[in-house]
Amino acid sequence: MQIPKNATKSLQLFFLAILLTIWIAACQGRVDNSSLRNESSSNCRIIQHAMGETCVPLNPQRVIALRLVDNVIALGIKPVGATFVETGIDSLLPQTTQIANIGTRSQPDLESILRLKPDLILGLDWDAPAYKQLSQIAPTVLVASGDDLDWKRWFKIYAEALGRTQEADKIMTTYTWRIADLRKQLGNRLSTTQVSVVSFWADAARIYLKQSFSGQIINDVGLARPTAQNQQKVNENLSLELIPQMDGDVMFLMADRSASKLAEFTNHPLWSQLKVVQQRRVYEVDGEAWVSQWTTVAANRVFDDLYKYLIDEWK
């Protein structure tokens, strides 16, 4: 059967219209940095980040947090979506209603993000593999993690992207005040107390060093570290014969209760020989706060533990 020429032309126009519609929709969702440079500063704010520069809304209302969701909440914004873990939202704060599940930190769900119609997406450069797709959904800012893993800089850039720099300054002023207050209360013990940070996971025993999240806070306070932990690294795995490297005047311990490593190490003769064990200054703390979250909320949890165990319970 031969299709009339006028019908063929109509079909061509029909499909062309469909393609144009798809193309326009894609262009509307895409962040084109070259055109953003020409945007009026009254319409958006240019943010420099790991992937270049992005023009973000002056007052974002529908924020997606791929990571560091607690920083967004601390700045007074409730995200419309955030990554989740088995126990709920990937946060140290009580699970907040109306924050949608967009997958995990390692595998965000792009379809879920798209359905939420965000006007800003925040994350770290660890999310770079998905940047192209994310930036087609909404303006996306991925903070450079950097070799120094400076969590305070991450917080600052989040605040700039959200237009909440004044709120961020207040939070960091409180951080500085807590450092000064803790130093004052520790007195002479500040430089003489060696703080050990240890974890036991399903398949590893680790010490956490100066570049870890809690290690940076301990360093800011000015507390000493055991020689083996006084290194500009995040962590090191230890074997049983290296248990002495866990020693200190006080130990903050994190443990996965399902892990056999905890029993394996604490039942070893070298464990009972540790000075910190003999003096009963081993304190279990939350691993999410001490090593995993890298947020201002986590920093305050670390401070709470330092006050509790170095001031309130120190005898």
Side-chain angles (χ1 to χ4, degrees):
M1 177 178 177
Q2 187 176 2
I3 300 175
K5 290 184 178 180
N6 60 343
T8 301
K9 186 175 181 180
S10 297
L11 284 172
Q12 290 173 339
L13 290 172
F14 175 74
F15 286 117
L16 179 60
I18 291 176
L19 290 172
L20 283 172
T21 301
I22 294 171
W23 181 81
I24 290 169
C27 287
Q28 287 175 339
R30 184 179 295 115
V31 178
D32 186 343
N33 286 334
S34 61
S35 64
L36 288 177
R37 294 188 190 96
N38 299 322
E39 287 274 0
S40 169
S41 60
S42 63
N43 295 328
C44 64
R45 180 188 308 106
I46 297 294
I47 300 296
Q48 301 287 338
H49 60 103
M51 310 306 293
E53 61 181 32
T54 296
C55 192
V56 305
L58 296 182
N59 185 28
Q61 299 295 310
R62 299 186 61 79
V63 178
I64 292 287
L66 301 173
R67 298 174 189 269
L68 310 176
V69 60
D70 284 350
N71 278 347
V72 179
I73 297 172
L75 289 166
I77 294 176
K78 183 167 66 176
V80 295
T83 49
F84 273 54
V85 292
E86 290 181 0
T87 56
I89 186 172
D90 189 14
S91 167
L92 290 171
L93 300 169
Q95 184 167 338
T96 307
T97 59
Q98 300 176 344
I99 296 182
N101 184 341
I102 59 161
T104 64
R105 281 182 292 187
S106 60
Q107 194 171 7
D109 185 340
L110 295 176
E111 290 186 9
S112 296
I113 294 172
L114 181 61
R115 283 195 297 269
L116 290 168
K117 300 179 180 178
D119 55 11
L120 178 62
I121 300 172
L122 295 174
L124 294 177
D125 57 5
W126 301 332
D127 304 302
Y131 178 73
K132 183 177 180 180
Q133 296 95 321
L134 291 167
S135 62
Q136 289 174 346
I137 297 172
T140 301
V141 172
L142 300 186
V143 180
S145 53
D147 294 336
D148 56 354
L149 300 175
D150 184 355
W151 63 271
K152 287 172 277 190
R153 178 176 55 81
W154 302 352
F155 178 59
K156 179 181 178 181
I157 298 176
Y158 262 47
E160 290 174 354
L162 293 167
R164 298 295 178 104
T165 55
Q166 290 185 347
E167 290 83 352
D169 288 344
K170 291 176 183 177
I171 290 170
M172 293 313 299
T173 296
T174 300
Y175 177 85
T176 302
W177 178 87
R178 295 196 84 177
I179 288 174
D181 183 65
L182 186 56
R183 285 175 175 172
K184 181 179 179 180
Q185 293 199 47
L186 283 166
N188 294 333
R189 289 192 288 120
L190 175 62
S191 59
T192 60
T193 302
Q194 293 189 348
V195 177
S196 175
V197 182
V198 174
S199 72
F200 296 96
W201 306 116
D203 57 356
R206 292 176 185 156
I207 50 175
Y208 281 84
L209 314 178
K210 294 180 70 174
Q211 210 169 356
S212 66
F213 176 68
S214 54
Q216 292 183 41
I217 296 171
I218 291 167
N219 188 64
D220 285 347
V221 173
L223 286 157
R225 302 300 304 276
T227 301
Q229 299 179 34
N230 195 33
Q231 305 178 56
Q232 287 297 337
K233 296 171 61 177
V234 175
N235 60 54
E236 283 187 353
N237 289 356
L238 295 186
S239 53
L240 288 167
E241 65 271 16
L242 296 178
I243 285 176
Q245 293 187 13
M246 296 179 170
D247 209 356
D249 296 303
V250 59
M251 178 192 293
F252 293 103
L253 180 150
M254 298 151 281
D256 177 351
R257 286 301 172 186
S258 65
S260 60
K261 284 292 180 183
L262 178 64
E264 181 183 353
F265 272 67
T266 56
N267 289 329
H268 194 278
L270 286 175
W271 178 264
S272 60
Q273 294 176 26
L274 294 177
K275 176 183 64 176
V276 69
V277 172
Q278 294 173 351
Q279 295 182 350
R280 298 182 180 180
R281 297 198 190 278
V282 177
Y283 305 111
E284 187 169 351
V285 292
D286 181 7
E288 285 294 304
W290 277 68
V291 303
S292 299
Q293 289 293 341
W294 300 79
T295 65
T296 57
V297 173
N300 278 310
R301 298 287 177 89
V302 173
F303 269 116
D304 291 343
D305 287 331
L306 293 175
Y307 274 100
K308 178 179 180 180
Y309 297 114
L310 297 185
I311 303 300
D312 297 342
E313 296 192 16
W314 190 279
K315 298 177 182 178

